[in-house]
Amino acid sequence: MLRGGDSRGENPWAVGGPGGEPAAGERVVDEGATAPNHFFTTEVVFALAAADAKSPAARKAADFLATPAQTDAYAYPAGKDGIPDATAAARLALVAEATGKDPRAFGGRDLLGDLVKYVCPRDIGVGDPVEGCLTKGDFRTTGQSDAQAMAVIALLGGGVTPPADAVNRLTALQCEDGGFTGVLIRSGGWCDSDANSTGLITLALKRAGGHDAAVQKARAYLKKSQLPTAAWPSASSMTTGSPASTAWAVQALRALGDDAFADAGLSWLSRHQFLGAGFGFEEDDTESRLFPTSTVALAGAKSDLVTLTTKKVDPPTPPAGAAPDLVKGTAYLTDRGRLVQGRYYESGPGTGFADYGLTIDGAYALAATGKDNTALRGIVDFLDKGGKDGKGRGIHDWTLIGTKYAAGGSIGKTALLAEAVGRDPRAFGGQDLIAALAKGTCTARTETAGQCAAKGNYTYATSVFSQSLGVMAQVRAGETAAAAEPIAYLKSLQDPSGGWVSLIGEPSGTEVDSTAMAAMTLDLLPDAGSQAAVDKGLAWLAGRQKEDGGFPGASGNSVNSAALAVQGLSLDSSKYAVQIARARAFLASRQNGDGGFDIAKGGQPGSDVRASTQALGGTTGISFGTLARSLEGTAPEPLPSTSVLPSASPSASPTAPVIVTPGEDAGAAGSSGGSGSGGGGALASTGPRVGGLAAAALVLALGGWGLTRAAKRRRENTGSRA
């Protein structure tokens, strides 16, 4: 039987109660104890969920951990107002993500918000000491690199951009040989690499993005540290294999595309699996142990901790019937006659002035469809890396960040793009956009026109649309608490009818665009009040649809409004499937031969870029609140040295982009390797037991596991962005 760590209990699933009755299959209990071993219970959840994404056993254990008493006992031992145990909070957040629960409302706690809240702001010795902190960027109370990496993975899995300092802290743990140490060392500290830490941190950095050099060094380390047996040792001084270390290395290398190395490691694991399906700590161990077995289960399933805890959001299934042509629409938006050298849209042809708001709208559309990631990256790199338009203006000449005229809506819109493509909104275009939103939250109404309409309004955010963008950006960055007043103000702008008004600070009526945007924003919040506001808003939207499937907007029977309505109604796509199908058919009827869209039915005919950006992204039904598009594997196009010329200068087009496969680099061995016997060249024969590695998780279900029905989500959000 498996044992929890060094415990010697005959069955880790047995409760040490009268008669030693089997547990209800919900927790690990060490021999001679009655209290649950929360750490090993989380490990079991990971293993079971890897073997079966809908495992009733995994969900039953997660339900147990999600009871407030167990969450507090494990992650909040210092009490209600104390600092949480970051290691435990990260593990519970990963459990939530692996089993379809909400890490923001797990056991009555916002685990992700607390992780972000307690990141060390400075090094020890700099200013006043901060309890639990040694180095800037540490999650307080972690102490070990695996906990730091798991916290980063948990935030990313929950749709929260981790603080840049927390991610950079991981890169500081890389040793000269390319591996990572298991201790949160400070600069200049002794660094000893190991496969466990290297595999896990590599997964975290790959998922975070922007650390390709560190990832490639770690990749090289893992390849060269593979033993002749194809296993990996638990420490650099060891010459024998460790199942847990091998499993972590296998997870990372498979994620990087080095399948031959990973498969060779699995072959070794299959030869060291006990008849009872478990694994020992080291290759010469004679007893099955829970900890290595759960880690191997992930590797055996050809999965990894990041994949396991990344939300699986399928693109909304388009209702039957007519729909816009996404490929043609993408070609229209990316045509160099419109998208100047693949970087920005102009406010007027040949002017050289970038319309940065429209440019971001175009990027949103490309992110939603996924039809041209190269063009999307060209826009994002231009905005992020200091690109200038034909008049020498950059993105922050539009946001006005750092000035007394900083525009909350523009800042939020830019931050939301950064979040959608995996960039850091706290360091985008050289600015901390999330801090700027917090700084730009009004404390009271001001007399300056347009500056602050009320407490909670963002500065110079004069529409519900702009207010919503700011809130979305803060919530996605894990700053829900900091956004409390902007959220409350946004809710206050909802009309009793269910719709939202258009303008802020001056009289205006309810409208489709604002209502859809506000609904997408509040749907990010799990509380009952927010969800009730969303439901009321969607009912109002459905009631505004015209007979031809369109929706009224400022321009008449508006393409923009119909597309936004599709996004809003897709928050509850099963209920509003008919309305969504009719609106998509309406949008298809307004698409022209060049792929672009009219502004409105009955208006001036001809394609319009602004209407086309909204129509293209909106027809997918993906909410701006959950929009996500990985740019991994897409090489950057060269940026012009100083500025991009206006569209009147077609001769300055950049060279053709080069697309690289994730995990490949110049001169790398790719997936052709795997060292030593059983590891080099073709994968050695593994026999039938390799296929059973993932099934090792099943042995963890012994001792009275019962079937449970998966908890139903609060809303079937098939319209969330992929």
Side-chain angles (χ1 to χ4, degrees), residues 585-606:
F586 170 82
L587 290 173
S589 74
R590 309 324 309 162
Q591 188 172 24
N592 299 310
D594 60 3
F597 293 78
D598 298 331
I599 294 175
K601 181 179 180 179
Q604 181 71 30

Side-chain angles (χ1 to χ4, degrees), residues 373-388:
N373 285 354
T374 301
L376 174 59
R377 176 157 186 173
I379 295 173
V380 172
D381 283 349
F382 173 74
L383 299 175
D384 187 16
K385 300 183 183 300
K388 306 290 184 182

Side-chain angles (χ1 to χ4, degrees), residues 23 95 186 256 309 321 338 486 589 611:
V95 164
R186 302 192 67 191
L256 293 171
T309 55
R338 300 179 185 90
S589 74

Side-chain angles (χ1 to χ4, degrees), residues 104-378:
R104 292 183 178 278
F106 191 91
R109 299 283 190 169
D110 180 354
L111 299 171
L112 303 184
D114 285 343
L115 285 172
V116 171
K117 180 179 179 181
Y118 290 105
V119 172
C120 295
R122 55 185 174 271
D123 290 347
I124 190 171
V126 178
D128 294 332
V130 179
E131 182 182 353
C133 286
L134 288 177
T135 306
K136 183 179 181 181
D138 286 351
F139 291 96
R140 290 165 69 175
T141 73
T142 50
Q144 299 293 320
S145 62
D146 63 342
Q148 185 81 10
M150 285 186 171
V152 168
I153 293 171
L155 289 171
L156 291 164
V160 174
T161 302
D165 288 335
V167 181
N168 292 336
R169 185 70 176 97
L170 292 175
T171 64
L173 303 176
Q174 192 162 38
C175 305
E176 290 186 2
D177 60 7
F180 290 91
T181 178
V183 182
L184 284 178
I185 59 172
R186 302 192 67 191
S187 178
W190 182 66
C191 196
D192 185 25
S193 301
D194 65 78
N196 295 48
S197 303
T198 302
L200 180 55
I201 294 175
T202 299
L203 289 169
L205 292 177
K206 179 179 181 291
R207 175 67 176 85
H211 298 278
D212 293 347
V215 169
Q216 292 306 321
K217 286 177 64 179
R219 177 189 183 201
Y221 167 82
L222 288 173
K223 288 181 179 180
K224 70 185 180 185
S225 62
Q226 190 173 25
L227 297 172
T229 59
W232 277 266
S234 57
S236 59
S237 60
M238 300 286 288
T239 58
T240 56
S242 159
S245 299
T246 299
W248 280 118
V250 165
Q251 290 181 47
L253 287 173
R254 190 175 302 286
L256 293 171
D258 293 302
D259 287 351
F261 285 84
D263 287 341
L266 284 186
S267 177
W268 181 88
L269 285 168
S270 74
R271 298 193 299 273
H272 290 80
Q273 185 174 13
F274 295 121
L275 292 178
F279 294 83
F281 286 132
E282 300 290 341
E283 68 176 63
D284 57 357
D285 201 343
T286 59
E287 294 182 283
S288 293
R289 315 283 182 171
L290 191 153
F291 177 68
T293 300
S294 61
T295 307
V296 171
L298 269 170
K302 295 191 174 182
S303 185
D304 58 75
L305 188 61
V306 168
T307 301
L308 179 70
T309 55
T310 298
K311 186 177 181 181
K312 314 301 187 294
V313 182
D314 296 322
T317 302
D325 187 322
L326 299 183
V327 174
K328 288 178 64 177
T330 297
Y332 172 84
L333 289 180
T334 57
D335 184 277
R336 294 302 175 90
R338 300 179 185 90
L339 187 62
V340 180
Q341 294 205 357
R343 301 302 195 266
Y344 64 86
Y345 297 109
E346 291 176 305
S347 58
T351 63
F353 281 99
D355 185 330
Y356 283 110
L358 177 58
T359 299
I360 295 176
D361 287 336
Y364 287 163
L366 296 176
T369 65
K371 301 300 183 183
D372 195 338
N373 285 354
T374 301
L376 174 59
R377 176 157 186 173

Side-chain angles (χ1 to χ4, degrees), residues 513 546 550-562 586 599-603:
D513 300 35
K546 293 177 173 290
F551 284 81
S555 58
N557 196 350
S558 169
V559 165
N560 253 33
S561 300
F586 170 82
I599 294 175
K601 181 179 180 179

